Amino acid sequence: MKKINIGQSGLTASEISLGIMRMNALSNEEAKTVIETAIHEGIDYFDHADIYGKGESEQIFGQAFKELGISRDKVMLQTKTGIVPGVMFDFSKEHIIESVEASLKRLQTDYVDTLLLHRPDTLVEPEEVAAAFDELEKTGKVRYFGVSNQNPLQIELLKKYVQQPLIANQLQLSITHTPMIDAGFNVNMVNEASVFHDGGILEYSRIHDMTIQPWSPFQSGNEKKGLFFDHPDYPELNELVNEMAAEKSVAREAIAIAWLLRHPAHMQPIVGSMNPERIKAICQASEITLTREEWYKLYQSTGKTLP
């Protein structure tokens, strides 16, 4: 597995991360197999959130990891805070600290490598976030910090008060869900693709050395539900993905992830499979590099056009 730098943190991690959202559906033994498989394939970065499985996903991971006897310093753990499901977003100092302490207990660890603020909170008081980050850093409970689903001005607002570098931003991105890319192709135009949905977050991330962590890399997008694999709306894409996979002797999942890895922003896709064989297939992406022409062919096979 190839390694990348995560922001300006000095962390060097696997270019593919395993998301643990669905681990609450696994038994202890199944969870151990998933973790062992991921590590064997070179994944050393695991993405959590306090709300995944209502906390059960972190708990199952923590117990399974402990029983495996793997040294804590061999992996990096990331968790997220800020969502009170169905109620509100909460970036208050009290909520952030209580959430982290609960995650540490479930994960059975003294610290997490990275903490992300999970989606924006319009009622955020950045001074409270800064105070929470300072306390968590000072006590050694969190090493680095970042955000999720935030645009450049939301990040800049936080940076006005927060002393720690914000090293990562989780954003939805797949071959079929590409608003952050589409707008860049359609500058100075008035078509639908030219709409500036996110304030240039792709370019902003590259300028400020924030690692984009694409989530739902196999999903069709916000409007179309389900995976784009075998989706009736994407026959040309699926034909091309299958063709490339056969040519390169890898799984189709590897082609989809390789498309993200080919971008010079040095992204770190978050994959959420709890199937060991699929994890192995996904990790084949690190063994191949798409050409510029292949990248553009895949992009256009979804029905998008270049101006």
Side-chain angles (χ1 to χ4, degrees):
M1 174 75 64
K2 296 174 185 174
K3 303 286 187 178
I4 62 167
N5 295 320
I6 308 300
Q8 296 178 318
S9 64
L11 286 177
T12 302
S14 56
E15 64 178 352
I16 299 172
S17 172
L18 186 66
I20 309 299
M21 184 172 68
R22 300 180 179 88
M23 188 162 277
N24 63 306
L26 305 186
S27 67
N28 180 265
E29 291 303 313
E30 290 170 332
K32 287 196 286 187
T33 299
V34 166
I35 296 169
E36 281 187 309
T37 300
I39 291 175
H40 182 267
E41 295 300 314
I43 292 176
D44 59 11
Y45 204 96
F46 295 88
D47 175 67
H48 299 266
D50 57 350
I51 63 168
Y52 289 166
K54 299 181 179 179
E56 191 175 354
S57 292
E58 286 186 330
Q59 187 172 345
I60 291 173
F61 179 94
Q63 183 61 33
F65 187 81
K66 178 182 179 181
E67 292 181 13
L68 286 170
I70 300 168
S71 177
R72 173 66 179 85
D73 61 8
K74 297 297 183 184
V75 302
M76 283 151 276
L77 302 183
Q78 172 173 280
T79 195
K80 299 183 287 292
T81 182
I83 297 178
V84 182
V87 179
M88 61 182 177
F89 301 116
D90 189 350
F91 285 1
S92 66
K93 177 183 178 182
E94 180 182 18
H95 180 80
I96 292 171
I97 291 176
E98 287 181 354
S99 170
V100 169
E101 290 176 346
S103 288
L104 294 178
K105 184 176 181 180
R106 289 190 292 266
L107 291 167
Q108 301 190 46
T109 184
D110 295 329
Y111 69 96
V112 290
D113 295 274
T114 314
L115 174 69
L116 306 186
L117 297 177
H118 205 174
R119 291 192 176 275
D121 174 13
T122 194
L123 299 183
V124 62
E125 297 180 66
E127 301 93 334
E128 286 208 30
V129 174
F133 284 9
D134 286 345
E135 182 172 328
L136 291 168
E137 182 180 52
K138 182 178 180 180
T139 57
K141 294 176 181 178
V142 178
R143 297 177 65 194
Y144 301 101
F145 301 86
V147 297
S148 169
N149 302 288
Q150 296 204 19
N151 66 36
L153 289 182
Q154 290 168 331
I155 296 168
E156 285 297 311
L157 176 61
L158 285 172
K159 286 169 67 174
K160 181 180 178 181
Y161 298 90
V162 171
Q163 300 301 310
Q164 297 81 3
L166 300 175
I167 67 171
N169 190 2
Q170 284 193 3
L171 298 160
Q172 185 175 5
L173 180 64
S174 72
I175 298 175
T176 54
H177 181 81
T178 56
M180 72 174 75
I181 294 173
D182 302 339
F185 284 136
N186 290 272
V187 173
N188 201 36
M189 301 184 72
V190 293
N191 56 19
E192 183 178 352
S194 68
V195 177
F196 214 38
H197 288 285
D198 52 33
I201 192 61
L202 175 59
E203 292 76 18
Y204 176 90
S205 300
R206 297 181 70 180
I207 291 169
H208 294 279
D209 295 316
M210 288 185 74
T211 296
I212 293 175
Q213 296 178 330
W215 55 270
S216 290
F218 307 127
Q219 289 293 322
S220 298
N222 288 335
E223 297 177 0
K224 296 178 181 179
K225 303 300 183 182
L227 304 181
F228 58 72
F229 294 126
D230 301 322
H231 197 293
D233 289 350
Y234 299 109
E236 185 180 347
L237 169 63
N238 277 283
E239 182 178 353
L240 184 57
V241 166
N242 291 336
E243 178 184 306
M244 287 186 180
E247 288 176 354
K248 300 176 187 299
S249 300
V250 297
R252 60 183 183 176
E253 290 89 349
I255 299 297
I257 296 299
W259 187 83
L260 296 169
L261 297 178
R262 173 62 178 83
H263 198 283
H266 303 295
M267 303 178 189
Q268 185 192 41
I270 308 284
V271 299
S273 178
M274 294 289 101
N275 182 320
E277 293 306 312
R278 196 168 189 222
I279 292 171
K280 293 178 184 178
I282 289 169
C283 289
Q284 293 173 334
S286 193
E287 302 169 7
I288 61 173
T289 301
L290 299 183
T291 66
R292 181 182 294 265
E293 183 178 0
E294 288 171 332
W295 190 95
Y296 274 96
K297 283 181 69 175
L298 285 165
Y299 176 81
Q300 294 177 83
S301 73
T302 65
K304 300 181 182 73
T305 58
L306 299 178

